[in-house]
Amino acid sequence: MLMENLGAHKVNGVRQAIEAMGACVVYLPAYSPDFKPIEL
């Protein structure tokens, strides 16, 4: 499961519940305008 770095996604038990269903958790990297050419 791909998730943002939102605090609500890192609450105790969320990762364990997802992994208990057989999925893995991958967090998106922090936002950086350096990686978005349109932001320039």
Side-chain angles (χ1 to χ4, degrees):
M1 172 168 257
L2 189 60
M3 297 173 57
E4 296 177 355
N5 280 314
L6 185 65
H9 293 164
K10 295 183 177 182
V11 174
N12 290 337
V14 172
R15 180 183 206 105
Q16 292 82 1
I18 293 169
E19 290 176 346
M21 298 300 293
C24 63
V25 177
V26 177
Y27 290 102
L28 291 171
Y31 173 78
S32 173
D34 295 337
F35 298 125
K36 304 267 186 187
I38 197 166
E39 296 284 338
L40 302 175

